[in-house]
């Protein structure tokens, strides 16, 4: 799958963001080894710390459906109702969740403003020397 297509999926996922408190809407699209794409959006809560990020929503959806091999994730974010103007990087918690399942040198993270304007990393770039037990 082309990077541009995965980013388009993240932009679609972003439309479902539930972010009435921050008004910062994030979308993620996760490509699995089996070729499926899982969408994720941020889901906030009146008790603010309960919010779930778009990336974790996508990963948890996939794992709950039996997927554990991940190839890439695209992430887009910005003020709700307007197109992204900056790159939105995964938070530290989401990076740690990615490290549970993604190969540090292989799992790709696409941080995008649009389908054609994006930066590409592997997990090791964003979370070097990560903690793991397995
Ligand atoms: N957020 C994400 O969903 N992913 C990120 O990579 C960064 C932050 C969400 C959490 C919260 O709902 C909102 O963005 C503002 O922090």
């Amino acid at each position: 799958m082309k990077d541009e297509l995965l980013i388009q999926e993240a932009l679609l996922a972003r439309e479902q963001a539930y972010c009435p408190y921050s008004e910062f809407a994030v979308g993620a699209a996760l490509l699995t080894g089996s070729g499926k794409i899982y969408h994720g959006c941020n889901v906030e809560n009146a008790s603010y710390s309960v919010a779930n990020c778009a990336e974790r929503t996508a990963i948890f959806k996939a794992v709950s459906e039996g997927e554990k091999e991940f190839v890439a994730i695209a992430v887009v974010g910005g003020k709700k109702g307007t197109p992204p103007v900056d790159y939105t990087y995964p938070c530290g918690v989401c990076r740690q969740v990615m490290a549970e399942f993604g190969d540090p040198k292989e799992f790709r993270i696409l941080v995008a403003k649009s389908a054609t304007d994006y930066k590409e990393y592997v997990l090791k770039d964003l979370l070097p020397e990560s903690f793991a037990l397995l």
Side-chain angles (χ1 to χ4, degrees):
M1 127 123 2
K2 280 201 186 318
D3 290 350
E4 287 82 352
L5 290 177
L6 194 63
I7 295 165
Q8 291 287 8
E9 294 290 335
L11 288 163
L12 285 175
R14 183 173 177 251
E15 292 176 14
Q16 304 302 331
Y18 178 73
C19 52
Y21 304 103
S22 72
E23 299 202 330
F24 191 85
V26 185
L30 178 69
L31 176 64
T32 72
S34 65
K36 283 192 198 155
I37 294 172
Y38 286 85
H39 283 187
C41 64
N42 52 334
V43 182
E44 298 185 346
N45 191 277
S47 180
Y48 295 174
S49 67
V50 180
N52 205 62
C53 291
E55 298 91 323
R56 273 177 288 145
T57 301
I59 293 168
F60 293 160
K61 281 173 67 181
V63 173
S64 73
E65 297 294 326
E67 302 271 2
K68 286 186 201 63
E69 279 183 31
F70 303 140
V71 175
I73 192 167
V75 184
V76 291
K79 189 174 165 44
K80 185 173 142 184
T82 64
V85 291
D86 287 317
Y87 302 112
T88 294
Y89 283 84
C91 79
V93 171
C94 289
R95 294 178 197 202
Q96 181 66 28
V97 170
M98 290 173 193
E100 186 68 27
F101 301 103
D103 182 310
K105 292 183 184 160
E106 299 287 337
F107 181 66
R108 297 167 65 237
I109 300 161
L110 310 176
V111 178
K113 289 187 194 176
S114 71
T116 52
D117 182 351
Y118 65 97
K119 295 190 182 193
E120 178 187 341
Y121 302 88
V122 290
L123 182 55
K124 194 169 171 288
D125 299 327
L126 299 187
L127 192 68
E129 311 292 357
S130 67
F131 177 73
L133 290 176
L134 298 179

